Amino acid sequence: MKRFIGFIKKEFYHIFRDRRSLFILFGMPIAQILLFGFAITNEINNVDIAILDHSKDATTKEIINKISASKYFSIKQIIEKESDIESVFQKGHVKAVLNFEKDFSKNLIKEHKATIQIITDATDPNTANTISNYVNAILQHYQKDLNKDIVIVYQIVPETRMVYNPELKSVYMFVPGVMTIILMLVSAMMTSISITREKELGTMEILLVSPLKPFQVIIGKVFPYIFLSIINAIVIVMLSIFIFKMPVQGSLFLLALESILFIISALALGILISTIAATQQTAMMISLMGLMLPVILLSGFIFPISSMPIPLQIISNIIPAKWFIIIIKGIMLKGVGIQFIWKETLILLGMTVFFIAVSVKKYKIRLE
Amino acid sequence: MKTILYIIQKEFKQIFRNKGMLPIIFVLPLLQLVILSNAATFEVKNIKFGYNDNDHTSTSRALVERFNASTYFDVLTDFPSEAIANSAMLKGEVDVVLEIPLYFERDLQKEKHNTLGVTINAIDGAAAGVMNVYVSQIIQRFNQHLKVDLFQISDKQVQPITIETIPLFWYNETLNYKTFMVPGILVLLVTMITLFLSGMNIVREKEIGTLEQINVTPIKKSQFIIGKLFPFWVLGMGLLTIGLIIAKLIFDVPMVGSLPLMYVYTSIYILVVLGIGLFISNFTETQQQAMFIAWFFTVIFILMSGLFTPIESMPKWAQIITEFNPIKYFVEVMRMVMLKGSGFMDILPQLLKTLLYALIMNGLAVWSYKKTT
């Protein structure tokens, strides 16, 4: 036991002596969470649009004013002919062109009907669709004013209550996600490389002939990283509470336990990678190339899992990050206790045990 | 010249000798392109919907039927009480709950006006906004049907004024998300492979000690660097080519624009990435450090590239930061040229900025290389 403690101490020294790595380890996640928390949003604001007004009368002017007054759009260009539409799209200057028909006001008065084309650059389907919906909503509102005198009979009005995030802040969606990718990738990368490093430099052989048992070697190697990751997690949670005003409706203690579980599962995954990979380069490519995009795309961090095709929804279940995101959103935003997230917790626990079991098995094979 | 060729030969051999790396370099990225392109969609569908009908009349049933018929809503559950509905929402089993009050139909007939409770899980604010639009649309349409069917009131009023909107979706009429995501994800994969491999490469020689040996040979530093980086440049271009073939064959992504233009742009772009990789190599002592720095910048580059979330919605200061993001330009150019057929003059600003970036990064890299060795 004394030998083992000595070994852990040595590992700690190793890490803390390398100032540059430490700076990277702690500085980067902080910089990232600050940057993303403030910058990333999937809302659509200030979309640049162009106007093609064939009518140029009082009504079209009024509508154009209403549109430019909304926070969603800024009118960047006024174009004069249809053939210009193609070129403004190709330059990528605007995302949509509103095309008012000729004699707009006249038609509205005479025939009670006038038309506007909403031409969108649908290479980005989401933005195109949203622009179209927003323009429609603004026009609907304007129509209501025009039709004030006509009473509509029988009406059901929905009273909508947005729960867990009434102000629809996108930061509530992104902070848990960013927290997850940082913890996941930093933890997995750290362990995956630390053991392959010993292998590559040849020092692993020396460790293996030492009186320490193989699992002691591994635990000794991982232990300092558990410690580092926990500090990382604490810093991230504090930043999200104090800077982004994320609520923690549930128990902070539960949040801490779940975070530790997640960190351990990520570290175990890292060990698994390190038992497979022979060189640091391979280990890094597996943990970066193999984990980064799947974790960003399949965890529900940015894209809703329920909208994905069924096979991908099934695949998403093997991404540990998915479960952790459900857990932290549950604790922080919904304020749920363990009785609502025990299933997710068990799955994470199961994955951790699996990663460790496989690595132990692989590890023994290597020794023979 | 001959020396460079030898180094290039040696580097290629090294890449191909490492059997463990080959699948990671060639198979993993393409597999991800095929699989993950399907995951990236902001479309909101299969909304988990539940209701609590306290009225049990033909009107309330007709309303629920409307939601049932809509393609957006899924899994209709009738919750016996509001409390049970709330707990299902907490568990994440439903995202929208409709609460129909007792005497809903009676009050509607009496007062011609009634309210309904709609609860929406708003953790994903953007999705909640869309769900809200869908719910309102369904109720709006139900209102019209109420007027005509249930209460047999003929429409004898003055015809209301309507402004008709005709939405036209150019370049992607069916709003297919894959045509948007495939070029973007391809950009990421090309960038990640070339950046990680080049960033690790030279620092590895440093760590193992072989860089010292090379430094005492008569080879010039510029020859050494070109010889080191050229194979990765080839790799990146190769990956782009295979990726484009996959995009065409599997996803049927339209390729409206000029392929040579795309290749010209990519060939310059990869130089930027290699310059960054070399620069990272020069400033680190171990592969671990190099990897962390490469990871740090990649995550920032990816999330601030406009690939997943729109740049216009970012605050001004963040938009300024994105000007220094090479991935942003690559994503823009790929989408513009491939999907819209933008020409040389249209992408000239991006092309020039990328070229300038390549010159600066490689200049810095070569300068710092000389300094640290």
Side-chain angles (χ1 to χ4, degrees):
Chain A
M1 196 59 199
K2 215 172 157 197
R3 224 182 261 137
F4 179 54
I5 291 170
F7 178 62
I8 291 183
K9 258 195 202 155
K10 183 212 117 201
E11 288 295 315
F12 262 107
Y13 283 139
H14 254 313
I15 295 171
F16 284 102
R17 213 177 31 205
D18 181 1
R19 293 277 147 110
R20 201 178 287 193
S21 293
L22 269 188
F23 177 74
I24 297 169
L25 271 181
F26 287 114
M28 287 190 323
I30 294 174
Q32 278 178 342
I33 199 146
L34 288 177
L35 204 52
F36 298 146
F38 284 119
I40 296 186
T41 162
N42 52 359
E43 289 158 24
I44 287 173
N45 289 323
N46 306 318
V47 176
D48 288 329
I49 59 168
I51 303 282
L52 172 56
D53 187 356
H54 292 290
S55 186
K56 293 195 175 129
D57 56 42
T59 319
T60 60
K61 282 218 180 79
E62 208 175 330
I63 292 174
I64 292 169
N65 280 338
K66 283 237 182 303
I67 284 169
S68 79
S70 90
K71 67 166 182 147
Y72 304 119
F73 302 109
S74 51
I75 294 172
K76 193 159 182 210
Q77 241 175 318
I78 305 287
I79 53 179
E80 296 299 334
K81 49 189 190 300
E82 317 257 314
S83 55
D84 288 344
I85 302 175
E86 177 96 37
S87 88
V88 292
F89 279 150
Q90 284 190 340
K91 285 200 167 54
H93 289 167
V94 301
K95 293 273 166 77
V97 176
L98 295 189
N99 185 2
F100 291 85
E101 69 173 349
K102 235 180 133 205
D103 301 325
F104 192 88
S105 268
K106 221 197 270 168
N107 292 343
L108 208 55
I109 295 163
K110 248 176 44 201
E111 290 158 42
H112 287 262
K113 202 180 109 183
T115 54
I116 302 174
Q117 278 183 340
I118 309 170
I119 306 163
T120 43
D121 173 352
T123 46
D124 177 351
N126 183 50
T127 307
N129 206 12
T130 314
I131 291 173
S132 189
N133 283 339
Y134 285 169
V135 174
N136 258 324
I138 294 173
L139 289 175
Q140 207 105 68
H141 203 80
Y142 181 69
Q143 272 177 60
K144 231 187 224 166
D145 284 350
L146 292 180
N147 293 324
K148 261 199 301 269
D149 316 326
I150 305 167
V151 192
I152 301 165
V153 273
Y154 293 113
Q155 207 168 21
I156 301 170
V157 183
E159 257 172 19
T160 312
R161 199 164 59 100
M162 296 286 186
V163 289
Y164 314 130
N165 176 11
E167 290 161 67
L168 304 184
K169 287 191 189 167
S170 72
V171 68
Y172 287 4
M173 170 83 176
F174 283 106
V175 168
V178 172
M179 194 171 145
T180 308
I181 48 169
I182 291 175
L183 285 183
M184 171 95 206
L185 284 163
V186 171
S187 311
M189 276 191 307
M190 281 191 303
T191 41
S192 73
I193 210 158
S194 79
I195 291 176
T196 39
R197 186 180 149 87
E198 304 266 349
K199 275 195 217 166
E200 199 171 1
L201 298 178
T203 41
M204 198 63 177
E205 302 295 309
I206 301 169
L207 276 178
L208 291 180
V209 295
S210 78
L212 285 167
K213 292 199 182 74
F215 78 88
Q216 285 182 319
V217 172
I218 292 193
I219 292 177
K221 289 232 146 265
V222 173
F223 194 79
Y225 289 115
I226 296 184
F227 178 76
L228 284 178
S229 296
I230 288 175
I231 294 179
N232 247 339
I234 292 173
V235 172
I236 294 172
V237 171
M238 300 242 277
L239 283 177
S240 44
I241 294 173
F242 292 115
I243 297 192
F244 298 113
K245 308 281 178 247
M246 286 278 293
V248 183
Q249 309 276 12
S251 138
L252 206 53
F253 178 69
L254 182 61
L255 184 67
L257 284 185
E258 296 279 1
S259 304
I260 292 173
L261 173 63
F262 181 65
I263 288 167
I264 294 176
S265 78
L267 292 172
L269 183 60
I271 307 247
L272 179 61
I273 293 173
S274 74
T275 55
I276 298 169
T279 64
Q280 289 187 68
Q281 200 171 18
T282 318
M284 177 201 87
M285 290 305 279
I286 295 177
S287 51
L288 283 186
M289 285 303 294
L291 292 181
M292 179 131 75
L293 281 188
V295 167
I296 293 180
L297 290 173
L298 288 178
S299 64
F301 161 32
I302 300 179
F303 300 102
I305 293 175
S306 57
S307 300
M308 294 173 193
I310 300 291
L312 277 179
Q313 293 192 27
I314 295 169
I315 295 177
S316 77
N317 290 329
I318 60 168
I319 309 283
K322 170 189 167 172
W323 305 106
F324 187 59
I325 288 184
I326 297 177
I327 291 172
I328 35 179
K329 280 184 185 163
I331 298 176
M332 292 182 94
L333 300 170
K334 295 181 174 177
V336 298
I338 187 76
Q339 70 273 25
F340 285 97
I341 46 174
W342 60 270
K343 227 190 296 170
E344 287 78 10
T345 311
L346 268 187
I347 293 172
L348 268 187
L349 199 64
M351 285 178 169
T352 314
V353 172
F354 174 77
F355 294 147
I356 294 174
V358 177
S359 346
V360 168
K361 199 157 172 262
K362 281 255 172 197
Y363 192 69
K364 276 188 189 142
I365 291 166
R366 291 203 143 266
L367 282 179
E368 273 157 18
Chain B
M1 193 60 207
K2 228 176 175 181
T3 336
I4 294 186
L5 283 179
Y6 278 125
I7 293 216
I8 291 174
Q9 209 181 3
K10 171 202 141 230
E11 289 296 322
F12 267 118
K13 270 189 191 157
Q14 250 173 350
I15 294 175
F16 283 99
R17 208 178 36 203
N18 189 344
K19 292 280 180 295
M21 281 295 268
L22 285 181
I24 298 171
I25 297 177
F26 293 103
V27 183
L28 196 63
L30 298 171
L31 201 66
Q32 292 194 355
L33 180 67
V34 173
I35 294 176
L36 295 178
S37 299
N38 290 296
T41 171
F42 275 119
E43 236 180 300
V44 179
K45 49 186 184 185
N46 311 327
I47 304 167
K48 290 175 276 178
F49 178 88
Y51 61 96
N52 171 20
D53 185 355
N54 293 305
D55 196 38
H56 297 291
T57 52
S58 58
T59 310
S60 71
R61 271 191 291 266
L63 179 60
V64 167
E65 191 38 48
R66 289 274 165 147
F67 283 91
N68 205 359
S70 148
T71 49
Y72 297 119
F73 295 95
D74 229 24
V75 200
L76 283 147
T77 329
D78 187 357
F79 294 109
S81 77
E82 207 181 334
I84 293 173
N86 284 343
S87 125
M89 181 83 92
L90 274 180
K91 278 187 202 143
E93 287 165 3
V94 283
D95 284 324
V96 176
V97 173
L98 186 71
E99 174 87 17
I100 304 174
L102 193 61
Y103 307 127
F104 175 70
E105 190 183 80
R106 198 190 68 188
D107 293 350
L108 185 65
Q109 273 166 326
K110 226 166 42 190
E111 289 164 32
K112 303 192 172 186
H113 188 279
N114 208 342
T115 54
L116 266 178
V118 177
T119 311
I120 297 176
N121 168 11
I123 288 181
D124 181 348
V130 177
M131 292 181 209
N132 191 17
V133 170
Y134 292 159
V135 172
S136 324
Q137 274 173 358
I138 289 180
I139 294 179
Q140 200 109 61
R141 253 176 269 135
F142 187 69
N143 279 335
Q144 281 160 8
H145 145 99
L146 268 180
K147 189 168 61 180
V148 185
D149 282 14
L150 279 166
F151 301 97
Q152 273 106 36
I153 285 177
S154 55
D155 226 331
K156 280 187 202 141
Q157 287 140 332
V158 205
Q159 198 192 355
I161 293 174
T162 44
I163 298 171
E164 195 187 343
T165 52
I166 306 168
L168 294 172
F169 299 110
W170 279 24
Y171 310 114
N172 185 0
E173 284 159 43
T174 53
L175 297 181
N176 179 351
Y177 229 91
K178 278 163 225 148
T179 40
F180 183 57
M181 290 315 300
V182 171
I185 291 181
L186 180 56
V187 161
L188 284 193
L189 294 167
V190 169
T191 309
M192 282 162 71
I193 284 280
T194 43
L195 178 65
F196 294 158
L197 286 178
S198 67
M200 294 277 282
N201 193 283
I202 292 177
V203 74
R204 180 168 189 271
E205 304 241 9
K206 244 196 244 178
E207 199 174 3
I208 300 178
T210 44
L211 198 62
E212 298 297 305
Q213 292 166 17
I214 289 169
N215 279 338
V216 295
T217 64
I219 186 171
K220 284 201 201 94
K221 273 167 186 158
S222 60
Q223 289 176 328
F224 174 65
I225 290 177
I226 294 172
K228 274 264 171 207
L229 296 185
F230 182 73
F232 300 126
W233 185 87
V234 173
L235 247 165
M237 296 302 272
L239 207 58
L240 176 84
T241 309
I242 306 172
L244 286 177
I245 294 171
I246 289 180
K248 184 77 220 168
L249 290 185
I250 299 187
F251 294 104
D252 198 27
V253 173
M255 303 211 182
V256 190
S258 139
L259 272 177
L261 185 60
M262 233 142 58
Y263 273 91
V264 168
Y265 179 82
T266 311
S267 63
I268 299 170
Y269 171 80
I270 297 180
L271 292 180
V272 176
V273 178
L274 294 177
I276 296 175
L278 185 58
F279 196 56
I280 291 175
S281 256
N282 290 340
F283 273 97
T284 46
E285 293 143 0
T286 62
Q287 292 180 72
Q288 194 172 22
Q289 289 173 358
M291 178 190 74
F292 277 126
I293 293 179
W295 172 77
F296 175 67
F297 283 107
T298 316
V299 174
I300 292 180
F301 284 161
I302 292 177
L303 291 181
M304 297 187 77
S305 65
L307 176 60
F308 299 130
T309 61
I311 289 179
E312 310 90 72
S313 305
M314 295 177 187
K316 269 279 161 305
W317 60 266
Q319 293 192 23
I320 293 168
I321 293 179
T322 64
E323 290 289 317
F324 299 95
N325 182 352
I327 294 186
K328 170 196 159 175
Y329 298 118
F330 196 8
V331 170
E332 276 177 7
V333 168
M334 279 281 263
R335 283 175 177 165
M336 285 167 79
V337 176
M338 267 174 92
L339 308 178
K340 287 191 275 192
S342 299
F344 178 75
M345 287 313 286
D346 296 321
I347 65 156
L348 192 62
Q350 282 92 339
L351 193 72
L352 287 178
K353 284 182 201 168
T354 309
L355 190 62
L356 184 68
Y357 210 147
L359 290 175
I360 293 175
M361 273 330 292
N362 286 291
L364 279 177
V366 170
W367 170 75
S368 62
Y369 181 75
K370 281 180 185 151
K371 222 180 141 201
T372 49
T373 47

